[in-house]
Amino acid sequence: MDLSAIAARVFCRRLMALLLPLWDEDADIQCGIMGVAVLLRYTIVPDEDKMLKSMSPELRAEYERNKDKRREQHDIIMKQILENAKSDKPIWDVAPPNQERNK
């Protein structure tokens, strides 16, 4: 057995020793509830293709027309978020470029 395998085993044992006291008797119930929630989410909430197929042709055409506009707005917002993330200012001090900050 090489040194890295031994180190990995020691690390796993120490990690489990730290985490096992945090695992209380209600953790099984909590994990079960979360599992059911995830399962329900994937079975109940339709994906985009199913939503488009269920729409009327007029709504589908309007959706396709506005798709590029929504994508451009999303790109603008994401660009602004990335620029604001580089600054040291808090998020509440950063105003959108087309609005002035109310003080």
Side-chain angles (χ1 to χ4, degrees):
M1 198 180 270
D2 62 339
L3 188 59
S4 62
I6 294 171
R9 275 192 175 175
V10 170
F11 174 75
C12 288
R13 287 183 181 165
R14 288 187 180 171
L15 183 65
M16 289 305 294
L18 288 172
L19 294 179
L20 278 178
L22 298 176
W23 190 270
D24 59 353
E25 60 272 357
D26 295 335
D28 296 333
I29 296 170
Q30 293 167 357
C31 289
I33 291 171
M34 289 300 295
V36 169
V38 169
L39 182 67
L40 283 175
R41 188 246 182 247
Y42 282 111
T43 56
I44 292 174
V45 177
D47 59 351
E48 188 176 357
D49 294 334
K50 288 181 183 176
M51 286 290 288
L52 286 175
K53 289 178 184 176
S54 67
M55 287 182 182
S56 66
E58 296 86 19
L59 283 174
R60 197 176 311 146
E62 183 179 343
Y63 173 82
E64 293 297 330
R65 278 195 309 268
N66 295 333
K67 194 178 206 178
D68 293 332
K69 183 179 178 182
R70 283 193 312 275
R71 190 175 309 245
E72 288 173 7
Q73 290 174 346
H74 179 265
D75 291 341
I76 291 169
I77 291 171
M78 288 305 296
K79 186 173 116 180
Q80 182 182 358
I81 288 172
L82 291 174
E83 288 174 3
N84 293 342
K86 294 176 185 175
S87 72
D88 292 337
K89 293 181 182 178
I91 189 68
W92 53 85
D93 282 343
V94 179
N98 56 357
Q99 297 177 355
E100 290 189 23
R101 175 125 173 100
N102 295 332
K103 288 192 176 185

